[in-house]
Amino acid sequence: MPTKREKRLAKERGAAAFVEKHHGPMAALLEDVSADIGAELVGLPQAQADARLAAEMAYRLDKAIAIPNELAEALDWFAYFLGSLLVIGIVRGIERSAKRRKVRLGNLKAKLEEKGPRMTRLAKRSLERRIKSLQAK
């Protein structure tokens, strides 16, 4: 019987495979839409800009994919909209994470420069290890 950890890792692998499979087309669509309507989004709050991007992506997906069932065709725009919001949320999360990592790395380097000579060997090694791990990501 699989353990909790094995189940969790299997779910994570499945999610990663799904994202890997669908990342290219959705990222390309997001890039096209951003290039087309990016000028209109300047000055809007981020939530409104993301909603506008998602609505435009959903519209383009709706027009590109024809579904023979009338009921499904009526509801597909909403599903595309939610999927587009998900893609935009993932991209924003990655951007925020990279920005935080960069700030944290700068802070740790500054701390090492400032306090490095006065730090104990163990504390200095720990700080250098944290810097190295952040640079590796």
Side-chain angles (χ1 to χ4, degrees):
M1 182 166 190
T3 64
K4 276 187 170 183
R5 182 175 188 272
E6 291 170 345
K7 288 179 188 177
R8 181 181 48 82
L9 288 174
K11 286 180 185 178
E12 287 177 3
R13 285 188 197 108
F18 178 81
V19 168
E20 190 66 33
K21 179 181 175 185
H22 298 289
H23 174 264
M26 288 301 284
L29 180 63
L30 176 60
E31 188 176 327
D32 290 344
V33 170
S34 296
D36 291 346
I37 67 169
E40 299 173 18
L41 304 177
V42 174
L44 288 177
Q46 188 170 10
Q48 286 181 350
D50 289 351
R52 290 280 309 274
L53 280 173
E56 182 64 25
M57 287 174 66
Y59 174 77
R60 291 184 187 191
L61 283 170
D62 192 23
K63 295 300 174 195
I65 301 172
I67 299 176
N69 185 346
E70 291 179 20
L71 180 62
E73 180 65 34
L75 297 174
D76 68 341
W77 184 89
F78 186 66
Y80 295 148
F81 180 73
L82 293 178
S84 300
L85 278 177
L86 178 70
V87 168
I88 292 169
I90 290 170
V91 169
R92 296 283 190 231
I94 292 169
E95 288 173 351
R96 273 194 305 271
S97 175
K99 191 175 183 180
R100 281 193 313 266
R101 187 178 309 117
K102 183 178 176 182
V103 168
R104 191 176 320 126
L105 183 60
N107 291 342
L108 290 176
K109 284 183 177 181
K111 183 177 180 180
L112 183 62
E113 282 182 21
E114 181 184 329
K115 297 181 179 183
R118 297 176 305 195
M119 294 176 87
T120 64
R121 196 172 18 182
L122 185 62
K124 189 174 183 179
R125 190 179 313 144
S126 174
L127 189 58
E128 288 169 346
R129 199 174 309 131
R130 287 173 57 196
I131 289 171
K132 187 177 178 180
S133 72
L134 281 176
Q135 287 174 337
K137 291 182 183 180

